[in-house]
């Protein structure tokens, strides 16, 4: 893992994730369609967090936002 001051954390948090299947799949599918440098991924029952480079932040954020739009 490379840690520097130009990394950004993106977190997706929702209590409903615990009982709603497929949310992680949507997030991971969205980011897999980008060429982003994902430095770290952590998950829990209600949260997914990503550490991305500053250069890829907008791309990843927009991809996740588009995937999660209902």
């Amino acid at each position: 893992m490379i840690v520097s001051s130009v990394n950004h954390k993106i977190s997706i948090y929702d209590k409903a994730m615990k009982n709603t299947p497929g949310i992680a799949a949507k997030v991971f599918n969205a980011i897999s369609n980008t060429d982003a440098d994902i430095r770290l991924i952590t998950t829990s029952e209600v949260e997914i967090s990503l550490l991305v480079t500053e250069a890829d932040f907008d791309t990843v954020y927009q991809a996740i936002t588009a995937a999660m739009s209902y």
Side-chain angles (χ1 to χ4, degrees), residues 32-48:
S32 73
N33 292 324
T34 69
D35 289 329
D37 182 7
I38 308 297
R39 300 287 173 103
L40 179 72
I41 298 174
T42 62
T43 63
S44 75
E45 291 180 330
V46 295
E47 183 176 22
I48 301 167

Side-chain angles (χ1 to χ4, degrees), residues 45-60:
E45 291 180 330
V46 295
E47 183 176 22
I48 301 167
S49 294
L50 309 164
L51 189 67
V52 300
T53 62
E54 182 174 39
D56 292 327
F57 175 81
D58 289 332
T59 301
V60 173

Side-chain angles (χ1 to χ4, degrees), residues 14-41:
D14 190 340
K15 289 181 183 179
M17 289 173 70
K18 187 173 184 176
N19 298 313
T20 308
I23 293 177
K26 285 183 183 181
V27 171
F28 295 139
N29 186 52
I31 62 175
S32 73
N33 292 324
T34 69
D35 289 329
D37 182 7
I38 308 297
R39 300 287 173 103
L40 179 72
I41 298 174

